[in-house]
Amino acid sequence: MIVILKHGVTDEKRDQLIRWFESQGLGVDISKGEFQTILGLIGDVLSLDTDMIESLDIVQAIRRVTEPFKRCNRKFQPEDSIISAGDTLIGGGNFGIFAGPSSLESEEQVISIAKSLKASGANVLIGGAVNPRVTSYIIQEQNLREIGYLVSAKRATGMPVAKEILSVEDVPRYEDIDILLVGERNMTNYPLLAELGSMQKPVILKRSVSATLEELLMAAEYVMAGGNKNIILCERGIRTFSDYTKATLDIAAIPLLKELSHLPVIADASRSTGLGRLTGPVSKAICAAGADGLIIDVHNDPPHSAFNGNQAVTVESFASIAADISRIHEVITK
Amino acid sequence: MIVILKHGVTDEKRDQLIRWFESQGLGVDISKGEFQTILGLIGDVLSLDTDMIESLDIVQAIRRVTEPFKRCNRKFQPEDSIISAGDTLIGGGNFGIFAGPSSLESEEQVISIAKSLKASGANVLIGGAVNPRVTSYIIQEQNLREIGYLVSAKRATGMPVAKEILSVEDVPRYEDIDILLVGERNMTNYPLLAELGSMQKPVILKRSVSATLEELLMAAEYVMAGGNKNIILCERGIRTFSDYTKATLDIAAIPLLKELSHLPVIADASRSTGLGRLTGPVSKAICAAGADGLIIDVHNDPPHSAFNGNQAVTVESFASIAADISRIHEVITK
Amino acid sequence: MIVILKHGVTDEKRDQLIRWFESQGLGVDISKGEFQTILGLIGDVLSLDTDMIESLDIVQAIRRVTEPFKRCNRKFQPEDSIISAGDTLIGGGNFGIFAGPSSLESEEQVISIAKSLKASGANVLIGGAVNPRVTSYIIQEQNLREIGYLVSAKRATGMPVAKEILSVEDVPRYEDIDILLVGERNMTNYPLLAELGSMQKPVILKRSVSATLEELLMAAEYVMAGGNKNIILCERGIRTFSDYTKATLDIAAIPLLKELSHLPVIADASRSTGLGRLTGPVSKAICAAGADGLIIDVHNDPPHSAFNGNQAVTVESFASIAADISRIHEVITK
Amino acid sequence: MIVILKHGVTDEKRDQLIRWFESQGLGVDISKGEFQTILGLIGDVLSLDTDMIESLDIVQAIRRVTEPFKRCNRKFQPEDSIISAGDTLIGGGNFGIFAGPSSLESEEQVISIAKSLKASGANVLIGGAVNPRVTSYIIQEQNLREIGYLVSAKRATGMPVAKEILSVEDVPRYEDIDILLVGERNMTNYPLLAELGSMQKPVILKRSVSATLEELLMAAEYVMAGGNKNIILCERGIRTFSDYTKATLDIAAIPLLKELSHLPVIADASRSTGLGRLTGPVSKAICAAGADGLIIDVHNDPPHSAFNGNQAVTVESFASIAADISRIHEVITK
């Protein structure tokens, strides 16, 4: 951390600040420039309150020289993390295809889709979506029903299952769900993150549509601080002025996150654009960019699905996309 | 609502769709163009699933011709809503100055600040902020302590008090808080919105940093659907590429929201920039743009506050800002 | 085009407006709803001044139902356009790899790089960049020197050459350049677009960092209105809040532009991120998303290049990237 | 400037880099941390090629500690710059009201509007707009006609006149125009900036819709490097996801630019939203935020103006807005 002092600060005030840093266990190097004096702080600066330091009378600005995240930082763990759920591995060269319907309508439908998906190469069944237009009570009832469908499909196919979780209260209800998904709206829901941090279950952490990469990594850090290292980072599109799609998939975030962190990085090929007809090209791009997996919304009959029909692809389209992805993954990892 | 059919749709398929709309209680006007056939839907289209319609084979696109919100729409209530809390009125020409510290440190501190603020013209005491870096348990304990400070200050000054609420579980603990604030991160926390909709307590609803105006108004609509009409809309800055400030205050949102809705509209002068030294000019701009009030972070000793020190102004600065605001409000409403 | 009239408009005023539309050669269908009357305009509405119509007293809003661009619209030409430059074809299944150094330093350097690039699979040599920090006179002199290097490399390798053009005055100097590139800053430089529209030389039109897809297509339309149909659209990243990279590559823009238009669509793998170490993954993603080509900044010695060193890759890296791209292109077009 | 070296760099390589910096006339302070070695550069670092330095093998990152602009920096000139045009002063407490029609239709119309504007408090007549949909030849002809109208109105009223300039070639034609406006699309048109830098005429420099404040100030720096210090900075709205208005006026940019620079700062109240009915509230906000002036689009008959009718206000509305602004300016400068 670099602390830049204001022009004209007295030696006394400067030394007082230096003594305060030293009392926090930090070493301080002083560098005097023509216009500014700069203090270089040496040691563990992560717990410093940078806002407070920046507001001090004698401080002009501070600049970080190391990333503010540690546990998920690749500098401190060069090798890839590998997350396992059932027989599926994700990360470290293992590619995870998370597929399934937003709209879970019956046990029969879910099992039938799951079988097709497995046959085409999916290795995690993911399902469900939040319909906010109904009361909490109905949401909860529907949620339990959907969990039941997924668990039946898991029994029928052996695939691990993933589902979005919305609140701390829901945790016990998700006992049989193998991977918990934190949606973009909950990326900074700290009570939920803390609860998930106290478990060992794999967590998919989605980037908020308005979060920088650093903010996403800080959220992962928060979960990991509780002891859970099984985090999968998920890019799902950010909000920009570009208005043909629901969000703008930040494709370069994939190699960047992999550079910054050892955690597996996946992306959501369906929700980033909201348009099923773009799922094919976008999925292949995600794979080619070096992701460790991706999420695809698949439905047996998209135009007649209860919702998000515009966003899902058919099981036939999925099979074709998965085949291409498998060949692209081979090309880039050969 | 306008439904644009694809080029080359058969008369049979078109008539089938028309019959379906009619079965939903809608009237349908048909307009044939050179390249397209357009259906104009007449009646209550708000409950239609537009995503589903747009995904139908024969539909090219849909266009709304009326806003999707109704209860907060000025078209259906031309006169301004006025919200009351204690002796304070907000809206309809009544200007609300919500002031107080992010950092609530002791009963004594809060009462002392509250007295100064009241003397300078504030009419709601607002306080507290969320420090996400601590455990839920500590947050809850701290929250109860902070509520205690605010209630004491309310007794000492007679000012109504406002505080951010984070979850449904907290509602009973906020019994003595007069105005509940929904922060930008919770604008789409539907369980919380539903709970607040079932009460009659005034609610400040902050725009998410990534929400359009329509999305903010749809969130207000969701609360109002529960029966609570006491909503105050709050602009607090959106996330953009402009990086000198934490967010970009969307100043034109103030007159636009007032045009679209009858609800009072305020803005947060402190959190939008995150820089206390900009609070003066930004507060005056908010007032001059026609807002019904504003929020200002005020602290007795900003550089030594527990956090957000960079963002708060002193009680002396507040007094000077409030005096200017009062004169500007006179100019624009004379 | 749909014109929505205000509530309560008199029949007389409405009929007056209808007569005016009819006098412009348009047919008008009237649709009366519960709250609004809607006019559906039939015929060529592209030349209507929509701003003017929207500002009329009796008009509430207008909604377009067809895209405002025509010549580049795939609706009016379903088959892909194919652009040729020398022996290179771009579009319709032909993949164009535009590679070369931003920093053109000597005839020897450029010829040597060009030979390597050709051997590795590049089919257009692209070079040069604008250093705005020098006077116009120096820019012009340097430009002429750079054109000389490129033309020599073209003679030595047979590859067609591409270079950014900055002004109408430069057109004669670019006689031996095969493909003219319009940079993102000039996407709405109408005098330059008009001049290029009057020629038949291929033009790469880069999307401005703040342009929607529609705005890019309207710029293409403007060039094509002059008679030049040899336009290549180029996505190069948009400006967003995401700050790890210079811009955010809008990967979904590639399939979207190909859906909306018959023109070839390429993307700039280097300038979108500004980081050479991301060129590999980003290039592969661009290819996998279905682009007709891409631009890569390649330099013999990036750390010692005159500028943009941070952005270029070595000729060795390029060879490896090009090999992967060729295999990915095979996968998605098999 | 701070240069952060990579972990594990050899002393030899480090010393080699230090000697290179010293050969550029810079002093170098070395600060060794636990994980990094940091070099603090002392002296004039503005001309260093930071991209090149950042791409060196041994460098992890660089951080600037001073702003990269100098001539327009308030640190080097604490007192406000005051720009004069005719009898009008702008900056240093002098408020400039730039008003006039986008649509200049006849000498009579322009003179009549100018007289009204002057009577209501405007002190600069500004006029014209670019209609890109016509050929360059027509633009030039129309431009000359419009300059004629403005010059006639200047003679009739004594007001200085301002008009947008599009290219270096136009400079001689603008001899009688007192203030040259560089539009947002030309903020980085370096040949034009260089030409204006060689004159002494006042220049309004508009921020591009995708420019950061630093980029705007760097453009001002570029003009000033040529010797022209008469620059007025103009905020005109940035491109964001918020879609009710054409752009989002960055109101906090006004106090920030005034803090960073000694140049006068104005804002465009009309083009930022594109909606005439918001001009009143937005203009008052601009003034209240501490701007040195503002631009307002005024037309005698907005609904029948040749274009931009949706954006202009009537002369009557202008009179009322100007009266409020004058009172608000009094409040904030008393």
Side-chain angles (χ1 to χ4, degrees):
Chain A
M1 175 103 65
I2 300 291
V3 178
I4 303 149
L5 302 185
K6 281 192 186 149
H7 192 56
V9 163
T10 64
D11 286 6
E12 197 197 328
K13 287 205 155 188
R14 184 198 61 196
D15 292 344
Q16 199 180 340
L17 181 63
I18 291 171
R19 279 194 301 274
W20 184 81
F21 283 130
E22 288 171 345
S23 76
Q24 307 287 310
L26 300 168
V28 182
D29 271 346
I30 308 173
S31 165
K32 290 193 186 188
E34 196 178 346
F35 287 104
Q36 269 122 341
T37 294
I38 292 168
L39 306 181
L41 305 187
I42 301 163
D44 179 16
V45 297
L46 284 190
S47 55
L48 280 180
D49 181 341
T50 54
D51 265 5
M52 188 273 285
I53 297 170
E54 209 155 21
S55 72
L56 293 174
D57 264 3
I58 65 168
V59 172
Q60 184 192 308
I62 57 175
R63 297 280 185 278
R64 285 202 312 248
V65 295
T66 44
E67 297 86 8
F69 43 88
K70 210 162 188 175
R71 291 173 187 85
C72 61
N73 198 327
R74 196 178 275 278
K75 274 191 194 144
F76 302 102
Q77 180 190 317
E79 65 280 5
D80 286 351
S81 283
I82 299 176
I83 312 292
S84 69
D87 294 339
T88 301
L89 298 179
I90 296 144
N94 305 288
F95 196 78
I97 302 188
F98 298 73
S102 280
S103 176
L104 296 162
E105 291 150 21
S106 72
E107 188 173 298
E108 196 179 28
Q109 174 228 22
V110 179
I111 291 179
S112 154
I113 294 181
K115 285 183 175 170
S116 302
L117 297 178
K118 194 184 182 187
S120 306
N123 45 18
V124 179
L125 176 68
I126 191 163
V130 181
N131 183 350
R133 303 290 170 81
V134 292
T135 67
S136 301
Y137 179 72
I138 295 179
I139 289 178
Q140 193 176 307
E141 232 189 342
Q142 182 194 322
N143 215 7
L144 284 174
R145 212 163 45 231
E146 293 184 352
I147 290 174
Y149 300 160
L150 288 172
V151 172
S152 301
K154 175 179 165 178
R155 270 194 222 108
T157 62
M159 292 170 93
V161 291
K163 192 175 197 309
E164 182 169 358
I165 186 162
L166 290 174
S167 68
V168 173
E169 290 70 40
D170 275 341
V171 169
R173 297 178 195 117
Y174 278 65
E175 212 190 325
D176 295 328
I177 300 295
D178 304 288
I179 302 179
L180 304 179
L181 187 148
V182 176
E184 70 94 359
R185 286 198 182 83
N186 284 310
M187 192 196 87
T188 51
N189 181 337
Y190 294 103
L192 181 59
L193 298 186
E195 185 68 21
L196 302 181
S198 70
M199 309 167 66
Q200 288 303 322
K201 210 171 250 195
V203 172
I204 299 174
L205 184 62
K206 279 196 167 177
R207 178 185 185 185
S208 152
V209 296
S210 60
T212 62
L213 297 188
E214 190 175 296
E215 288 165 344
L216 170 61
L217 290 164
M218 288 304 285
E221 192 75 9
Y222 191 84
V223 181
M224 294 174 86
N228 188 348
K229 297 184 171 180
N230 299 304
I231 313 295
I232 298 168
L233 301 171
C234 182
E235 159 64 24
R236 52 83 67 221
I238 57 175
R239 185 147 254 188
T240 71
F241 67 84
S242 195
D243 52 5
Y244 255 91
T245 46
K246 282 203 180 166
T248 301
L249 185 74
D250 183 4
I251 193 83
I254 295 168
L256 272 168
L257 286 171
K258 289 193 67 65
E259 180 181 299
L260 292 164
S261 173
H262 52 81
L263 297 174
V265 176
I266 66 171
D268 192 323
S270 300
R271 277 149 206 88
S272 51
T273 72
L275 298 170
R277 62 185 200 270
L278 299 182
T279 304
V282 167
S283 295
K284 295 168 204 173
I286 288 168
C287 175
D292 297 299
L294 83 177
I295 301 177
I296 300 185
D297 191 350
V298 188
H299 193 272
N300 49 317
D301 184 9
H304 296 98
S305 79
F307 53 86
N308 277 350
N310 216 7
Q311 171 185 293
V313 295
T314 61
V315 288
E316 293 75 26
S317 295
F318 172 76
S320 152
I321 294 169
D324 279 5
I325 284 175
S326 157
R327 268 174 263 143
I328 292 172
H329 194 246
E330 226 170 85
V331 170
I332 65 163
T333 56
K334 89 275 142 181
Chain B
M1 175 103 64
I2 300 291
V3 178
I4 302 149
L5 301 184
K6 281 192 184 148
H7 193 54
V9 162
T10 63
D11 286 8
E12 198 197 326
K13 285 208 157 186
R14 184 199 62 197
D15 292 344
Q16 200 181 338
L17 182 62
I18 290 172
R19 279 195 300 274
W20 184 81
F21 284 131
E22 287 171 347
S23 76
Q24 307 286 310
L26 300 168
V28 182
D29 271 344
I30 308 173
S31 162
K32 291 191 186 188
E34 195 180 348
F35 288 103
Q36 269 121 341
T37 295
I38 292 168
L39 306 181
L41 304 187
I42 300 162
D44 179 15
V45 297
L46 284 189
S47 56
L48 281 180
D49 181 340
T50 54
D51 265 5
M52 189 273 284
I53 297 170
E54 209 155 20
S55 73
L56 293 173
D57 264 3
I58 66 168
V59 172
Q60 183 191 309
I62 57 174
R63 295 281 185 280
R64 285 203 313 250
V65 295
T66 45
E67 297 87 7
F69 43 88
K70 211 163 187 175
R71 290 174 188 84
C72 62
N73 198 325
R74 195 177 275 277
K75 274 191 193 145
F76 301 102
Q77 180 192 315
E79 65 280 5
D80 286 350
S81 282
I82 298 175
I83 312 292
S84 69
D87 294 339
T88 300
L89 298 178
I90 295 144
N94 305 289
F95 196 80
I97 302 188
F98 299 72
S102 281
S103 176
L104 296 162
E105 292 150 20
S106 72
E107 188 173 297
E108 197 179 26
Q109 174 228 23
V110 180
I111 292 179
S112 153
I113 293 181
K115 284 183 176 169
S116 301
L117 296 178
K118 193 182 181 187
S120 306
N123 44 19
V124 180
L125 177 67
I126 191 164
V130 181
N131 184 352
R133 305 289 169 82
V134 292
T135 67
S136 300
Y137 179 72
I138 295 180
I139 289 178
Q140 193 176 306
E141 231 189 344
Q142 182 194 322
N143 214 6
L144 284 175
R145 213 165 43 232
E146 292 184 353
I147 290 174
Y149 299 159
L150 287 172
V151 172
S152 301
K154 176 179 164 178
R155 267 193 226 111
T157 62
M159 291 170 94
V161 291
K163 192 174 196 310
E164 183 169 359
I165 185 162
L166 290 174
S167 69
V168 172
E169 291 68 40
D170 275 342
V171 168
R173 297 178 196 117
Y174 278 64
E175 213 191 321
D176 294 329
I177 300 295
D178 303 288
I179 303 179
L180 303 179
L181 187 147
V182 176
E184 70 95 359
R185 286 197 183 83
N186 284 309
M187 192 198 87
T188 52
N189 181 337
Y190 294 104
L192 181 60
L193 298 186
E195 184 67 22
L196 301 182
S198 70
M199 309 167 65
Q200 289 303 320
K201 212 173 248 195
V203 171
I204 299 175
L205 184 62
K206 279 195 168 178
R207 179 184 185 184
S208 151
V209 296
S210 61
T212 62
L213 297 189
E214 192 175 296
E215 288 166 343
L216 171 61
L217 290 165
M218 289 304 285
E221 193 74 8
Y222 191 83
V223 181
M224 293 175 86
N228 189 349
K229 299 184 171 179
N230 298 305
I231 315 295
I232 298 168
L233 302 171
C234 182
E235 158 66 24
R236 54 81 70 221
I238 57 174
R239 186 147 253 188
T240 72
F241 68 84
S242 195
D243 53 5
Y244 255 91
T245 45
K246 284 203 179 165
T248 301
L249 185 75
D250 183 2
I251 192 83
I254 295 169
L256 272 167
L257 286 171
K258 290 194 67 63
E259 180 180 299
L260 292 164
S261 174
H262 51 81
L263 296 173
V265 177
I266 67 171
D268 192 322
S270 299
R271 278 148 205 88
S272 51
T273 72
L275 298 170
R277 61 184 200 269
L278 299 182
T279 304
V282 167
S283 295
K284 294 169 204 171
I286 289 168
C287 175
D292 296 299
L294 83 177
I295 301 178
I296 299 183
D297 192 348
V298 188
H299 191 273
N300 48 316
D301 184 9
H304 296 98
S305 80
F307 52 88
N308 278 351
N310 216 8
Q311 171 186 291
V313 295
T314 61
V315 287
E316 293 75 27
S317 295
F318 173 76
S320 151
I321 294 169
D324 278 6
I325 283 174
S326 155
R327 268 174 262 144
I328 291 172
H329 194 246
E330 223 169 87
V331 169
I332 65 162
T333 54
K334 89 275 143 177
Chain C
M1 173 103 66
I2 299 291
V3 178
I4 303 149
L5 301 186
K6 280 192 185 147
H7 192 57
V9 162
T10 63
D11 286 7
E12 197 197 326
K13 284 206 158 187
R14 184 200 61 197
D15 292 345
Q16 200 181 339
L17 181 62
I18 291 172
R19 279 195 300 275
W20 184 80
F21 283 130
E22 289 171 344
S23 76
Q24 307 287 310
L26 300 168
V28 182
D29 271 346
I30 308 174
S31 164
K32 288 192 186 188
E34 196 180 346
F35 288 105
Q36 270 123 340
T37 294
I38 293 168
L39 307 181
L41 305 188
I42 301 163
D44 179 15
V45 297
L46 284 189
S47 57
L48 281 180
D49 181 341
T50 55
D51 265 4
M52 188 275 282
I53 296 170
E54 209 155 20
S55 72
L56 292 173
D57 264 3
I58 65 168
V59 173
Q60 183 191 308
I62 57 174
R63 296 281 183 278
R64 284 203 313 247
V65 295
T66 44
E67 297 88 7
F69 43 88
K70 211 163 189 175
R71 290 173 189 84
C72 61
N73 198 326
R74 196 178 275 277
K75 274 190 195 145
F76 302 102
Q77 180 191 316
E79 66 279 4
D80 286 351
S81 282
I82 299 176
I83 312 291
S84 69
D87 294 339
T88 302
L89 298 179
I90 295 144
N94 304 288
F95 197 79
I97 302 187
F98 299 73
S102 280
S103 176
L104 295 162
E105 292 152 20
S106 72
E107 188 173 296
E108 198 177 27
Q109 173 229 22
V110 179
I111 291 178
S112 153
I113 293 181
K115 285 182 175 170
S116 302
L117 296 177
K118 195 184 181 186
S120 307
N123 45 18
V124 179
L125 176 67
I126 191 163
V130 180
N131 183 349
R133 303 290 170 80
V134 292
T135 66
S136 300
Y137 178 73
I138 295 179
I139 290 178
Q140 192 176 309
E141 231 188 343
Q142 182 195 322
N143 215 5
L144 284 174
R145 212 164 43 231
E146 293 184 351
I147 291 173
Y149 300 158
L150 288 172
V151 172
S152 301
K154 174 179 165 178
R155 269 194 224 109
T157 63
M159 291 170 92
V161 291
K163 191 174 198 308
E164 182 170 358
I165 186 162
L166 289 173
S167 69
V168 173
E169 290 69 39
D170 275 341
V171 169
R173 296 178 196 118
Y174 278 64
E175 213 190 323
D176 295 328
I177 300 295
D178 303 289
I179 302 179
L180 304 179
L181 187 148
V182 176
E184 70 96 358
R185 286 198 182 83
N186 284 310
M187 192 196 87
T188 50
N189 181 337
Y190 295 103
L192 181 59
L193 298 186
E195 185 68 22
L196 301 181
S198 71
M199 308 167 67
Q200 288 304 320
K201 210 172 252 197
V203 172
I204 299 174
L205 185 61
K206 279 196 167 176
R207 179 184 185 186
S208 152
V209 296
S210 59
T212 61
L213 297 187
E214 191 175 298
E215 288 165 343
L216 171 62
L217 290 165
M218 288 304 285
E221 192 76 9
Y222 191 84
V223 181
M224 293 173 86
N228 188 349
K229 298 183 172 182
N230 300 305
I231 314 295
I232 297 168
L233 302 171
C234 182
E235 159 65 24
R236 51 84 67 221
I238 57 174
R239 185 147 253 189
T240 72
F241 68 83
S242 195
D243 52 5
Y244 254 91
T245 45
K246 282 203 180 167
T248 301
L249 185 74
D250 183 3
I251 193 82
I254 295 169
L256 271 168
L257 286 171
K258 289 194 66 66
E259 180 181 298
L260 292 165
S261 174
H262 51 81
L263 296 174
V265 176
I266 66 172
D268 192 323
S270 300
R271 276 148 207 88
S272 51
T273 72
L275 298 170
R277 63 185 200 270
L278 299 182
T279 304
V282 167
S283 295
K284 295 168 204 173
I286 289 167
C287 175
D292 297 299
L294 83 177
I295 301 177
I296 300 185
D297 191 349
V298 188
H299 193 271
N300 48 316
D301 184 8
H304 296 99
S305 80
F307 53 86
N308 278 351
N310 216 10
Q311 171 185 292
V313 295
T314 61
V315 287
E316 292 75 27
S317 296
F318 172 77
S320 152
I321 294 168
D324 278 5
I325 283 175
S326 157
R327 269 174 263 144
I328 291 173
H329 194 246
E330 225 168 85
V331 169
I332 64 162
T333 56
K334 90 272 142 180
Chain D
M1 174 102 66
I2 299 290
V3 177
I4 303 150
L5 301 185
K6 282 193 184 145
H7 193 55
V9 162
T10 63
D11 287 7
E12 197 196 327
K13 285 207 157 187
R14 184 199 63 196
D15 292 345
Q16 199 180 340
L17 182 62
I18 290 173
R19 279 195 300 275
W20 184 81
F21 283 130
E22 288 172 345
S23 76
Q24 307 287 311
L26 300 167
V28 182
D29 271 346
I30 309 174
S31 163
K32 290 190 185 189
E34 196 179 346
F35 287 103
Q36 269 122 342
T37 295
I38 292 168
L39 306 181
L41 305 187
I42 302 163
D44 179 16
V45 296
L46 283 189
S47 56
L48 281 181
D49 182 341
T50 54
D51 266 4
M52 188 273 283
I53 297 170
E54 209 154 21
S55 72
L56 293 173
D57 264 2
I58 65 168
V59 172
Q60 182 190 310
I62 57 174
R63 296 281 185 280
R64 284 203 312 249
V65 295
T66 45
E67 296 88 6
F69 43 88
K70 210 163 189 174
R71 290 173 188 85
C72 61
N73 197 326
R74 196 178 276 277
K75 274 191 194 146
F76 303 101
Q77 181 192 316
E79 66 280 4
D80 287 350
S81 282
I82 298 174
I83 312 292
S84 68
D87 293 339
T88 301
L89 298 179
I90 295 145
N94 304 289
F95 197 80
I97 302 187
F98 298 73
S102 282
S103 176
L104 295 162
E105 292 151 20
S106 72
E107 187 173 298
E108 198 177 25
Q109 174 228 22
V110 180
I111 292 179
S112 153
I113 293 179
K115 284 183 175 171
S116 301
L117 296 178
K118 194 183 181 188
S120 307
N123 45 19
V124 179
L125 177 67
I126 191 163
V130 180
N131 183 351
R133 305 288 170 81
V134 293
T135 65
S136 301
Y137 179 72
I138 295 180
I139 289 178
Q140 192 176 309
E141 231 189 344
Q142 181 195 321
N143 214 6
L144 285 174
R145 212 164 44 232
E146 291 184 354
I147 291 174
Y149 299 159
L150 288 172
V151 173
S152 299
K154 175 179 164 178
R155 266 191 228 112
T157 63
M159 292 170 94
V161 291
K163 191 173 197 309
E164 182 169 358
I165 186 162
L166 290 174
S167 69
V168 172
E169 291 68 39
D170 274 342
V171 168
R173 297 178 196 116
Y174 278 64
E175 212 191 323
D176 294 329
I177 299 295
D178 303 288
I179 303 178
L180 303 179
L181 186 148
V182 176
E184 70 95 0
R185 285 198 183 82
N186 285 309
M187 192 197 87
T188 50
N189 181 336
Y190 295 102
L192 181 60
L193 298 186
E195 184 69 21
L196 301 182
S198 71
M199 308 168 65
Q200 288 304 320
K201 213 172 248 196
V203 171
I204 299 175
L205 184 62
K206 279 195 168 179
R207 179 185 185 184
S208 152
V209 296
S210 59
T212 61
L213 296 188
E214 191 174 297
E215 288 166 343
L216 171 61
L217 290 165
M218 288 304 286
E221 193 76 8
Y222 191 83
V223 181
M224 293 174 85
N228 188 350
K229 300 182 170 182
N230 299 304
I231 314 295
I232 298 168
L233 302 171
C234 182
E235 158 66 24
R236 54 81 67 220
I238 57 174
R239 185 147 253 190
T240 72
F241 68 84
S242 194
D243 53 5
Y244 255 93
T245 45
K246 284 203 178 166
T248 300
L249 185 75
D250 183 2
I251 193 82
I254 295 168
L256 271 167
L257 286 171
K258 290 194 66 65
E259 181 180 299
L260 292 164
S261 173
H262 51 80
L263 296 174
V265 176
I266 66 172
D268 191 322
S270 299
R271 277 148 206 88
S272 51
T273 72
L275 298 169
R277 62 185 200 269
L278 298 182
T279 304
V282 167
S283 295
K284 294 169 204 171
I286 289 168
C287 175
D292 297 300
L294 83 177
I295 301 178
I296 300 184
D297 191 349
V298 188
H299 192 273
N300 47 316
D301 185 8
H304 296 98
S305 80
F307 52 87
N308 278 351
N310 215 8
Q311 171 185 291
V313 295
T314 61
V315 287
E316 293 76 25
S317 296
F318 173 77
S320 151
I321 294 168
D324 278 5
I325 284 174
S326 156
R327 267 174 263 145
I328 292 172
H329 193 246
E330 224 168 88
V331 170
I332 65 163
T333 55
K334 92 271 144 183

